[in-house]
Amino acid sequence: MIPGGGQPNMQQLLQQAQKMQQDLARAQEELARTEVEGQAGGGLVKATVTGSGELRGLVIDPKAVDPEDTETLADLVVAAVQAANENAQQLQQEKLGPLAQGLGGMPGMPF
């Protein structure tokens, strides 16, 4: 309810929504450029992903490579990518959380 019982200013609400959408788009672009890392095996395998979750790099220490045990290497790769994605999700929450919450209460917003 608006203090004083008046009607909300629709133009002002639309301007606020548009600004919030622009801020959200900027934050999403920044996330796509920001890289975060995850690792496994004490740093034997390192994965780099963007803040939006795109895998950009994978570094495997030669000590992690055992031709007789490729399963462990595969597990380390999966764990490193998962850790990187968890870090990306945390970054998304930090960057997008407040913006998405602000848009969540507005009709017609896809959040």
PDB file of all heavy atoms in Angstrom, residues 45 64 66 69-78:
ATOM      1  N   VAL A  45      44.240 -31.144  -9.845  1.00  0.00           N
ATOM      2  CA  VAL A  45      43.360 -30.824 -10.971  1.00  0.00           C
ATOM      3  C   VAL A  45      42.668 -29.506 -10.647  1.00  0.00           C
ATOM      4  O   VAL A  45      42.094 -29.347  -9.568  1.00  0.00           O
ATOM      5  CB  VAL A  45      42.317 -31.942 -11.214  1.00  0.00           C
ATOM      6  CG1 VAL A  45      41.375 -31.542 -12.334  1.00  0.00           C
ATOM      7  CG2 VAL A  45      42.995 -33.259 -11.532  1.00  0.00           C
ATOM      8  N   ALA A  64      48.957 -36.458 -11.338  1.00  0.00           N
ATOM      9  CA  ALA A  64      47.604 -37.015 -11.234  1.00  0.00           C
ATOM     10  C   ALA A  64      47.334 -38.052 -12.311  1.00  0.00           C
ATOM     11  O   ALA A  64      46.322 -38.748 -12.261  1.00  0.00           O
ATOM     12  CB  ALA A  64      46.574 -35.897 -11.339  1.00  0.00           C
ATOM     13  N   ASP A  66      47.832 -41.432 -13.998  1.00  0.00           N
ATOM     14  CA  ASP A  66      48.284 -42.816 -13.847  1.00  0.00           C
ATOM     15  C   ASP A  66      47.525 -43.636 -14.879  1.00  0.00           C
ATOM     16  O   ASP A  66      46.312 -43.844 -14.737  1.00  0.00           O
ATOM     17  CB  ASP A  66      47.990 -43.319 -12.429  1.00  0.00           C
ATOM     18  CG  ASP A  66      48.383 -44.769 -12.219  1.00  0.00           C
ATOM     19  OD1 ASP A  66      48.853 -45.423 -13.177  1.00  0.00           O
ATOM     20  OD2 ASP A  66      48.222 -45.261 -11.080  1.00  0.00           O
ATOM     21  N   ASP A  69      45.097 -46.071 -13.680  1.00  0.00           N
ATOM     22  CA  ASP A  69      43.983 -45.635 -12.833  1.00  0.00           C
ATOM     23  C   ASP A  69      43.349 -44.371 -13.393  1.00  0.00           C
ATOM     24  O   ASP A  69      43.432 -43.294 -12.802  1.00  0.00           O
ATOM     25  CB  ASP A  69      44.481 -45.407 -11.399  1.00  0.00           C
ATOM     26  CG  ASP A  69      43.355 -45.057 -10.443  1.00  0.00           C
ATOM     27  OD1 ASP A  69      42.172 -45.258 -10.796  1.00  0.00           O
ATOM     28  OD2 ASP A  69      43.649 -44.566  -9.339  1.00  0.00           O
ATOM     29  N   THR A  70      42.690 -44.492 -14.520  1.00  0.00           N
ATOM     30  CA  THR A  70      42.047 -43.326 -15.133  1.00  0.00           C
ATOM     31  C   THR A  70      40.771 -42.925 -14.390  1.00  0.00           C
ATOM     32  O   THR A  70      40.330 -41.783 -14.502  1.00  0.00           O
ATOM     33  CB  THR A  70      41.729 -43.588 -16.610  1.00  0.00           C
ATOM     34  OG1 THR A  70      40.901 -44.743 -16.711  1.00  0.00           O
ATOM     35  CG2 THR A  70      43.007 -43.796 -17.418  1.00  0.00           C
ATOM     36  N   GLU A  71      40.206 -43.857 -13.617  1.00  0.00           N
ATOM     37  CA  GLU A  71      38.984 -43.535 -12.872  1.00  0.00           C
ATOM     38  C   GLU A  71      39.237 -42.444 -11.839  1.00  0.00           C
ATOM     39  O   GLU A  71      38.416 -41.540 -11.675  1.00  0.00           O
ATOM     40  CB  GLU A  71      38.423 -44.782 -12.193  1.00  0.00           C
ATOM     41  CG  GLU A  71      37.737 -45.725 -13.151  1.00  0.00           C
ATOM     42  CD  GLU A  71      37.131 -46.929 -12.432  1.00  0.00           C
ATOM     43  OE1 GLU A  71      36.796 -46.821 -11.233  1.00  0.00           O
ATOM     44  OE2 GLU A  71      36.996 -47.966 -13.085  1.00  0.00           O
ATOM     45  N   THR A  72      40.357 -42.530 -11.143  1.00  0.00           N
ATOM     46  CA  THR A  72      40.671 -41.512 -10.142  1.00  0.00           C
ATOM     47  C   THR A  72      40.861 -40.162 -10.806  1.00  0.00           C
ATOM     48  O   THR A  72      40.367 -39.138 -10.313  1.00  0.00           O
ATOM     49  CB  THR A  72      41.932 -41.898  -9.337  1.00  0.00           C
ATOM     50  OG1 THR A  72      41.673 -43.112  -8.635  1.00  0.00           O
ATOM     51  CG2 THR A  72      42.311 -40.812  -8.343  1.00  0.00           C
ATOM     52  N   LEU A  73      41.539 -40.134 -11.938  1.00  0.00           N
ATOM     53  CA  LEU A  73      41.725 -38.875 -12.666  1.00  0.00           C
ATOM     54  C   LEU A  73      40.377 -38.306 -13.092  1.00  0.00           C
ATOM     55  O   LEU A  73      40.118 -37.112 -12.934  1.00  0.00           O
ATOM     56  CB  LEU A  73      42.623 -39.076 -13.884  1.00  0.00           C
ATOM     57  CG  LEU A  73      42.861 -37.829 -14.741  1.00  0.00           C
ATOM     58  CD1 LEU A  73      43.447 -36.680 -13.923  1.00  0.00           C
ATOM     59  CD2 LEU A  73      43.762 -38.169 -15.917  1.00  0.00           C
ATOM     60  N   ALA A  74      39.512 -39.162 -13.604  1.00  0.00           N
ATOM     61  CA  ALA A  74      38.179 -38.704 -14.008  1.00  0.00           C
ATOM     62  C   ALA A  74      37.422 -38.147 -12.802  1.00  0.00           C
ATOM     63  O   ALA A  74      36.761 -37.095 -12.905  1.00  0.00           O
ATOM     64  CB  ALA A  74      37.391 -39.843 -14.655  1.00  0.00           C
ATOM     65  N   ASP A  75      37.515 -38.811 -11.661  1.00  0.00           N
ATOM     66  CA  ASP A  75      36.852 -38.327 -10.450  1.00  0.00           C
ATOM     67  C   ASP A  75      37.398 -36.961 -10.034  1.00  0.00           C
ATOM     68  O   ASP A  75      36.643 -36.075  -9.613  1.00  0.00           O
ATOM     69  CB  ASP A  75      37.024 -39.324  -9.301  1.00  0.00           C
ATOM     70  CG  ASP A  75      36.214 -40.604  -9.486  1.00  0.00           C
ATOM     71  OD1 ASP A  75      35.284 -40.615 -10.325  1.00  0.00           O
ATOM     72  OD2 ASP A  75      36.522 -41.592  -8.791  1.00  0.00           O
ATOM     73  N   LEU A  76      38.717 -36.786 -10.147  1.00  0.00           N
ATOM     74  CA  LEU A  76      39.323 -35.501  -9.789  1.00  0.00           C
ATOM     75  C   LEU A  76      38.860 -34.387 -10.729  1.00  0.00           C
ATOM     76  O   LEU A  76      38.596 -33.263 -10.293  1.00  0.00           O
ATOM     77  CB  LEU A  76      40.853 -35.601  -9.811  1.00  0.00           C
ATOM     78  CG  LEU A  76      41.496 -36.425  -8.695  1.00  0.00           C
ATOM     79  CD1 LEU A  76      42.995 -36.577  -8.941  1.00  0.00           C
ATOM     80  CD2 LEU A  76      41.232 -35.805  -7.338  1.00  0.00           C
ATOM     81  N   VAL A  77      38.746 -34.707 -12.012  1.00  0.00           N
ATOM     82  CA  VAL A  77      38.268 -33.708 -12.981  1.00  0.00           C
ATOM     83  C   VAL A  77      36.836 -33.310 -12.653  1.00  0.00           C
ATOM     84  O   VAL A  77      36.499 -32.119 -12.601  1.00  0.00           O
ATOM     85  CB  VAL A  77      38.387 -34.239 -14.428  1.00  0.00           C
ATOM     86  CG1 VAL A  77      37.650 -33.331 -15.398  1.00  0.00           C
ATOM     87  CG2 VAL A  77      39.854 -34.383 -14.826  1.00  0.00           C
ATOM     88  N   VAL A  78      35.988 -34.292 -12.410  1.00  0.00           N
ATOM     89  CA  VAL A  78      34.587 -34.003 -12.074  1.00  0.00           C
ATOM     90  C   VAL A  78      34.516 -33.167 -10.797  1.00  0.00           C
ATOM     91  O   VAL A  78      33.781 -32.174 -10.733  1.00  0.00           O
ATOM     92  CB  VAL A  78      33.771 -35.313 -11.931  1.00  0.00           C
ATOM     93  CG1 VAL A  78      32.408 -35.050 -11.318  1.00  0.00           C
ATOM     94  CG2 VAL A  78      33.633 -35.991 -13.287  1.00  0.00           C
TER      95      VAL A  78
END
